[in-house]
Amino acid sequence: MSVAKKMSVGQLTMLTAVNMLGSGIVLLPTKLAEVGGISILSWLITATGSLALAYAFARCGMLSRKTGGMGGYAEYTFGKSGNYITNYTYGLSLLIANVAISITAVGYIQTLFDIKLGSLEVGLATIALLWITTFANFGGASITGKIGAVTVWGVIAPVVLVSTIGWFWFDSSTYAAGWNPHDKTWYEAAGASVAITLWAFLGLESACANGDAVENPEKNVPIAVLGGTLGAAVIYILSTNVIAGIVDNAELVSSTAPFGLVFAKMFNPMIGDIIMGLMVLACVGSLLGWQFTVAQVFKSSADTGYFLPIFAKANKHGVPIISMLILLAIQTALALLTISPDLAKQFDTLVNLAVVTNLVPYILSMATLMTLQKVSNVPPKKALITNIVAGIATAYSYLALYSSGAEALMLGGVATIVGYTLFGFVNTRLIKLEALNNSVPTQTVAAQHIVGEPIPVNNLNLATLETRP
């Protein structure tokens, strides 16, 4: 009997870094230029917080015996409502993030083809791209995965190139002139870009999902997650700062395609256009994959009883088309509601809201580590170290919440409360499952491995409950 060859720790580290180096960085140089080069303070804070989050998530993945990712982690401390609200806010953050990715692509398309769209036209183009990438997924995940694996290099290659060879064009006087254009204090500068820098690291928790594909996961998964996160942090910091030393701050702030701009400065406009084309393809490929992923997040939660059954319905290819259409309608509404005369402003609004909603499952997962380690009989000294790291990650998460701004906090809070209202519609189903002694599936194999699919509880005949005393 052959045994599947597993990844080395080096391969998993590279995979982790690539997962984060997606379309999230495409507009970052422009957003950071609004603060200036002093925004490097935000990078250092975010890198520290992200490393703490990455390590804590690696520990959660090693110890949890429940399916459902972050929702399964939260259930240890917060019960089934914690599982639900974790997956709900995580799914919501992905919906919002996909709209932001679509806007990013539209911004690069404008510059690439030298066209100027009005705010309504940007909104309609954003919606059109969301519709195209949703309909393209109806055939299944196979083609989507292959396209994404190729197009992601349209972002990674330019970012790595500018981080390395870009220093030959770096001008210290240009960098110094854009260091602190608004005369912010160190404290103000440190907090000003925390939310937007965290945007680049969103998805770091997903790296822990490959624990069963690597040798000695107890040791190697934390190494890979920390190494991949640190590697991504170095590339992010290098690329955004070298760009700030090549392009004047005022020009960078007004750009909707900063990487195309910097390559045009380094080489010539034609090379800049090629880079913009690659990044448009990367954004479309990324959006194609994330549109499928977010539907799968909602489907898996519906399969285990937490979301409404309509999200679990799938065609013969396993594609939840009805779910995709519902989520597409929500994304269309988001794109229309956030229309702004300034594309960067619309992007900023969506990113801050995505960060706020994504931080809810982060904070709940960090809070559950103490319980998770207790039930897993982790030695007190080792548990103490992990709890300290989780405390650092939690403190950073609250700082990121604060830095997201009052509007994003208010809207994110309302969205989370709405989630609790929706929980009332599904909780009766969970009660029925408990009455059948067939609750949401719990993993009973080794903690670092998930074997088999969750029980599709939506297919159970719950009508028999009506005849039971």
Side-chain angles (χ1 to χ4, degrees):
M1 180 178 177
S2 62
V3 178
K5 185 178 180 180
K6 294 193 174 185
M7 286 189 289
S8 67
V9 65
Q11 290 171 322
L12 185 58
T13 300
M14 179 62 69
L15 177 63
T16 301
V18 168
N19 282 345
M20 280 179 279
L21 288 170
S23 57
I25 194 175
V26 173
L27 274 181
L28 271 181
T30 292
K31 300 307 302 176
L32 294 174
E34 294 177 2
V35 178
I38 198 171
S39 61
I40 192 173
L41 298 173
S42 296
W43 272 125
L44 296 177
I45 292 171
T46 295
T48 301
S50 296
L51 284 169
L53 283 166
Y55 178 79
F57 276 122
R59 293 298 300 157
C60 283
M62 293 299 96
L63 298 173
S64 176
R65 294 178 182 270
K66 296 181 183 293
T67 57
M70 288 187 288
Y73 306 159
E75 187 174 335
Y76 279 91
T77 296
F78 302 101
K80 290 180 171 56
S81 64
N83 189 322
Y84 164 81
I85 204 65
T86 295
N87 286 330
Y88 164 81
T89 50
Y90 182 60
L92 185 60
S93 74
L94 294 182
L95 279 176
I96 299 165
N98 284 359
V99 181
I101 293 172
S102 185
I103 288 172
T104 301
V106 171
Y108 269 74
I109 289 171
Q110 286 188 87
T111 305
L112 177 62
F113 294 103
D114 194 22
I115 56 177
K116 180 63 177 177
L117 300 177
S119 55
L120 180 59
E121 293 170 320
V122 168
L124 293 176
T126 299
I127 291 168
L129 195 52
L130 289 168
W131 281 55
I132 290 169
T133 51
T134 297
F135 294 152
N137 273 304
F138 285 179
S142 177
I143 296 177
T144 297
K146 291 175 182 176
I147 292 174
V150 174
T151 57
V152 70
W153 292 98
V155 169
I156 295 174
V159 171
V160 172
L161 279 173
V162 80
S163 301
T164 51
I165 67 171
W167 295 100
F168 291 106
W169 288 267
F170 183 85
D171 186 337
S172 58
S173 61
T174 300
Y175 186 78
W179 172 253
N180 192 6
H182 304 294
D183 296 321
K184 292 181 179 292
T185 66
W186 285 66
Y187 174 78
E188 289 172 334
S193 302
V194 166
I196 193 69
T197 50
L198 178 60
W199 161 256
F201 286 98
L202 292 187
L204 60 88
E205 74 288 338
S206 65
C208 305
N210 296 292
D212 58 348
V214 66
E215 297 287 355
N216 192 8
E218 182 74 25
K219 175 185 176 182
N220 288 335
V221 167
I223 291 174
V225 171
L226 286 171
T229 303
L230 184 60
V234 169
I235 291 175
Y236 284 148
I237 293 171
L238 289 177
S239 62
T240 54
N241 277 275
V242 73
I243 289 174
I246 298 174
V247 182
D248 290 335
N249 181 265
E251 190 176 4
L252 193 55
V253 167
S254 63
S255 174
T256 60
F259 279 93
L261 175 61
V262 73
F263 273 89
K265 294 276 188 182
M266 290 163 57
F267 298 102
N268 56 58
M270 186 181 71
I271 297 296
D273 288 345
I274 291 172
I275 294 299
M276 284 189 282
L278 287 174
M279 290 207 159
V280 168
L281 289 176
C283 286
V284 172
S286 175
L287 188 58
L288 193 67
W290 279 113
Q291 288 291 70
F292 189 87
T293 299
V294 70
Q296 290 299 319
V297 168
F298 277 78
K299 181 182 183 301
S300 63
S301 291
D303 281 339
T304 50
Y306 285 107
F307 286 1
L308 295 175
I310 193 169
F311 289 105
K313 296 183 182 297
N315 64 11
K316 63 182 180 180
H317 301 293
V319 180
I321 291 180
I322 296 177
S323 175
M324 283 183 169
L325 292 175
I326 294 172
L327 299 177
L328 178 60
I330 296 172
Q331 289 175 322
T332 299
L334 279 170
L336 290 173
L337 289 171
T338 57
I339 283 179
S340 169
D342 184 354
L343 181 143
K345 173 64 177 175
Q346 186 177 7
F347 174 80
D348 204 23
T349 299
L350 288 164
V351 165
N352 285 336
L353 187 54
V355 167
V356 167
T357 50
N358 206 88
L359 282 168
V360 174
Y362 279 15
I363 290 170
L364 293 179
S365 296
M366 295 303 101
T368 202
L369 255 178
M370 190 176 297
T371 303
L372 188 51
Q373 292 186 105
K374 179 67 71 174
V375 300
S376 300
N377 294 316
V378 175
K381 288 186 177 179
K382 188 172 184 179
L384 177 62
I385 294 172
T386 300
N387 287 333
I388 290 173
V389 174
I392 295 170
T394 302
Y396 167 73
S397 297
Y398 281 116
L399 174 62
L401 279 175
Y402 175 78
S403 300
S404 298
E407 181 184 23
L409 278 173
M410 185 273 290
L411 293 174
V414 170
T416 302
I417 293 169
V418 168
Y420 276 110
T421 300
L422 296 176
F423 183 58
F425 291 96
V426 298
N427 192 44
T428 52
R429 301 180 66 256
L430 296 176
I431 293 172
K432 289 180 180 180
L433 291 171
E434 289 180 341
L436 281 173
N437 195 28
N438 195 3
S439 188
V440 175
T442 299
Q443 182 188 350
T444 56
V445 295
Q448 65 266 39
H449 299 285
I450 293 180
V451 178
E453 296 294 324
I455 300 171
V457 295
N458 285 314
N459 294 335
L460 294 176
N461 183 8
L462 303 182
T464 55
L465 284 175
E466 306 300 327
T467 60
R468 293 181 64 169

